[in-house]
Each structure stands twice: as C-alpha cells, then as structure tokens.
Amino acid sequence: MQTTFSPAQLADPDTAESNRILRTCVHCGMCTATCPTFLLLGDELDSPRGRIYLIKEMLEGGQPATEQVVRHVDRCLSCLSCMTTCPSGVNYMHLVDHARAYIHRTYRRPWPERALRRVLSFVLPHPGRFRLALVGAGLTRPLARFVPGRSATAQRVRAMLQLAPASVPSPSDVERPRVHPAIGPRRARVGLLTGCAQQVLAPSINEATIRLLTRMGIEVVVTKDQGCCGALDHHMGHHDPAMRLARANIAAWSREMAGEGLDAIVINASGCGTTVKDYGFMFREEPEREAAARVSALAADISEVLTRYAYAPTRPAPGLTVAYHAACSLQHGQKITAEPKALLKAAGFTVKEPAEGHICCGSAGTYNLMQPEIAGQLKARKQDNIARTGAALIASGNIGCLTQLGDGAIPAVHTVELLDWMAGGPEPAAIARARVAA
C-alpha cells in the first residue's frame, strides 16, 4: 500500500511503525474471509482491509478522528483472526492499537460513552473495586429487563447487568504476594500473573494453576506490586494508564529476576498473555525497553509451561467429551493452537473442535459491554456450534471467553482446572453443579 506521510509525521515512532505496517498490506482481501464483523455485517468498512484504509486516511491527514472512523474501528474485536489469515504478515494488532490511541486523543465521544469508558478503566483493572462493583451489579441484575430503549447506552447498561454473576466468589488466599514452594525436588521457579478481573470472577483458576505447578515440582511466586497487565486500557486507547500498569509489572518481575530468578512468567488468561508478550514492543522507546523485552521473552501461557515440563495425569480418564474453544488471543495473538488440545487429550478427555473455531465468541475484553448487539450474535453463533459437537464441557484458556459462553447449557471450564483435576486436584465446581442439575 502506498503511503504519503511527511518527514515530520514519520519522526513519531508510532506513526513510523504504522507506516511500515500499512506498506506491508497488498489489498488482497483474504482477511475479509475470517473477520467476524464482516461475516455478520457484510460491510467492507467493517473488515480489516476497510479499517486499514480508514486508519491510513486518518493518520496521514493528521486531523481529528471522524465519527465514521470511530464507528468502524470500535466495531473491531481485535480478535486478530486477520493476522492468522494474512499472507503478507500485516501486523494489524499494532496498527489498530495505534489508531485507538489516536482516536482517544483526538475524538470527543458522547458523554454517556465517555463516562462508561472511564468507569471501566477505573474499576476493571483493580480487583477490590471490581469486586464491589460486581456485588452491586448482582443485586440490581434482575432490573436489567426493565432498562428501556434501544439506544447504545441502554444496551450497554443491560449488558453490564446481565453479565454480572449472581454471586461473587470470596477472595482467594493465592492473591497475596508469597512463594508457593514446589512439592518434591524443585524443577523450576516461575512467576504467576494473578491478573485483575479473573481473580475476582474465578479465583479457582489461579488456585488450580498453583496446585498443579507445585505438584509438578515448580515453585510459584506471586510477586508484590504486580497487577493488571494493562490490556483493558490499552485496547480502549488509554495509552498512559496502560503503560503505568505494565510498568509496575515489569518492575515487579525484574526485581524477582534479579533476585532468585525466574524460569518463566506464567499467564493463565490468554488475553493478558498476548499483551505481556508485547511489552517489548510497547516499551521499545521507553527507558524500560530492555527490562520489558526480558519480561516478554519469559512470558508463557500455562499450556506452554505444562507442555515444557511434561504434564502427566494421575487419575483414570474421566470419560468426558470436551469442546475446545480456542480463545482468539491464544490462537491468533500468541499462535498457540496444538498444546491445549494435546494436554486435554493426554489427561484422558475426548476433544472436539467446534465449526468456525477461528471466529471470535464476542467477548474480546470489554467488547461485549461496548458492542453488546454484535457480541450477542457472535455468542449465539459460537454456542450453537459448540452444542453441535455433543460435548459435555467447554474448555478454554481465557476468562473472557468463559464468562461469555458459560451461561449456556454446557458448563465452561478453564483448561488448567480440568488438567489439575486429572492430576489430583478437586473436581471443577462447574462440573459438580452440572451434575447436580442433571
């Protein structure tokens, strides 16, 4: 793609990188075949190729973002399916992240949307605030059907209330900074990102991760001062808050690396993993660039770590069929596709892959709150494809996907909880609840 940025514009590192990405695109349109919003809406501007044109014109012009550009960029899920499909290697992720930051700086959204984005940024990355917000939302959840109107604000309010769980789990002891020693001879020492929303919605995931790793002889460190990876702010275009959160994590893990050392930084929410693995790029012009690059190099999804250290079950095969839902951030963002399925099979599960496995479920961070209509269509499509497998369980490696899909007839369980169960851990609560209901 030909671009016409001025030398002054190219002096900005983000614009220079976007220029390089734009020049990689050859207009082939193969990305349109796997884009969820183009699949649903059939509008070229709601495809990666269309958005690339809009972003190019916006950045080259150097003018404030227009309502048209914002509307179509906002509809992008950042599922990155287009990057898996693209034969030219266009890094759409970095391009759309730059576009969102530019939009945030130059476009004034309607006040209800500004307020919602500020609330999400204030609440979601902070577990204590998020827990209180969920308690309040749970109490008012029955009122969701009484919220009137078809406006964007009304739809978003209903979506927030409907997504709130009926009850909020109690805080887990694993949230506290501490060292969880290996059982038996120590084979490795890893840090664990406990995250933000996940530790509130499903603390059982971190508990299962720590149980399983320590039984495998891996010492697990929950470092002081770590927190949200920054992804939620980053994908809303909130550059400075995202960098502050990421900077705190880099400092926390760097101290641990300089001390007793780390063999990996384990991440069990794939949306977070994609962002942490991108810290090296995010901080390429910052004083912390070397430390950020080291953190990115050590970051690993839980499935990668379990594969590296030869996970093995200790219980007989459970005789259950699992529909494996590949989170977009795992299959497209991190290019991890084989490991989770291989681990589930090794644990004794029969694994089935739903049709359209490359298409997003509609969760996508805060997307199911900001774009509830499109997210609802993708959710229904995904749940239907999963039901067609005849599976008894859904397994996935991302809390957003589990929240999005877990309200259907089929229980949704994190992959690591199933693997922990088959290696001596407790039966996941979702399975026990389903058995009682049956």
Side-chain angles (χ1 to χ4, degrees), residues 250 254 257 265 280 288-299:
I250 292 167
S254 293
M257 286 186 275
I265 297 169
E288 303 90 346
R289 58 184 174 274
E290 292 183 3
R294 287 193 293 271
V295 166
S296 290
L298 276 181

Side-chain angles (χ1 to χ4, degrees), residues 165-182:
S167 61
V168 182
S170 299
S172 173
D173 183 58
V174 303
E175 295 174 10
R176 294 189 300 106
R178 57 172 290 193
V179 175
H180 299 267

Side-chain angles (χ1 to χ4, degrees), residues 208-216 306 311 416 419-420 423:
T209 301
I210 291 170
R211 280 195 305 266
L212 181 54
L213 289 175
T214 53
R215 281 201 306 271
M216 292 175 64
L306 294 177
Y311 165 83
V416 78
L419 298 176
D420 173 55

Side-chain angles (χ1 to χ4, degrees), residues 242-317:
M243 294 294 277
R244 281 197 297 271
L245 292 166
R247 191 172 278 112
N249 287 333
I250 292 167
W253 289 322
S254 293
R255 287 192 295 271
E256 202 63 46
M257 286 186 275
E260 292 192 47
L262 294 174
D263 296 298
I265 297 169
V266 178
I267 304 170
N268 53 22
S270 61
C272 302
T274 301
T275 297
V276 176
K277 287 183 178 182
D278 204 42
Y279 278 0
F281 175 83
M282 292 167 60
F283 283 82
R284 69 197 183 283
E285 301 291 332
E286 301 291 328
E288 303 90 346
R289 58 184 174 274
E290 292 183 3
R294 287 193 293 271
V295 166
S296 290
L298 276 181
D301 183 71
I302 181 62
S303 64
E304 294 179 290
V305 174
L306 294 177
T307 301
R308 184 187 310 169
Y309 292 101
Y311 165 83
T314 58
R315 285 191 165 127

Side-chain angles (χ1 to χ4, degrees), residues 104-125:
H104 182 65
R105 290 196 307 270
T106 65
Y107 182 76
R108 187 167 177 81
R109 297 177 182 275
W111 75 263
E113 188 171 349
R114 293 200 310 274
L116 175 57
R117 285 170 173 265
R118 286 172 183 163
V119 167
L120 294 176
S121 180
F122 179 77
V123 171
L124 290 181

Side-chain angles (χ1 to χ4, degrees), residues 134-193:
L134 284 182
V135 171
L139 294 174
T140 57
R141 183 180 181 183
L143 303 177
R145 64 183 183 275
F146 299 115
V147 176
R150 291 287 303 164
S151 68
T153 301
Q155 291 183 54
R156 288 164 180 162
V157 170
R158 283 195 294 268
M160 284 194 292
L161 293 175
Q162 289 165 355
L163 280 168
S167 61
V168 182
S170 299
S172 173
D173 183 58
V174 303
E175 295 174 10
R176 294 189 300 106
R178 57 172 290 193
V179 175
H180 299 267
I183 297 173
R186 191 176 83 177
R187 302 170 63 197
R189 189 174 194 268
V190 303
L192 175 67
L193 174 65

